[in-house]
Amino acid sequence: MSETFDARGRVEDLEVLVAHQAREIEELSTELKKAFDAITILQRQCRHLTERFQAVEDALPKPEATKPPHY
């Protein structure tokens, strides 16, 4: 009879462990989604800034290739 109670206690312990793990996995999944969204926004902003810098660089006059005065 004590083996039955022992087995029942072990099963309950496993059920509790699985419930905690399921909650942790859900929380980690939520945080991973938030991080992915933030990375996506940052990539889009970086691409936009790169395009703006390129546009500014293209609009500037090109420097002439001349030798420095000390030559």
Side-chain angles (χ1 to χ4, degrees):
M1 181 110 156
S2 68
E3 288 180 20
T4 305
F5 288 124
D6 186 42
R8 215 178 282 163
R10 290 175 58 196
V11 168
E12 287 176 6
D13 290 345
L14 290 173
E15 288 174 341
V16 169
L17 179 64
V18 168
H20 286 292
Q21 287 178 342
R23 187 181 73 231
E24 288 295 321
I25 289 171
E26 186 62 35
E27 289 175 7
L28 288 171
S29 178
T30 300
E31 290 302 314
L32 184 61
K33 172 79 169 90
K34 288 179 188 176
F36 180 79
D37 291 343
I39 289 170
T40 302
I41 289 168
L42 290 171
Q43 286 175 330
R44 191 177 312 125
Q45 289 173 341
C46 186
R47 201 174 314 112
H48 178 69
L49 285 173
T50 301
E51 290 169 0
R52 287 182 63 187
F53 286 138
Q54 188 63 47
V56 168
E57 190 175 271
D58 292 343
L60 293 175
K62 305 292 184 234
E64 293 181 26
T66 59
K67 290 185 178 182
H70 63 277
Y71 277 112

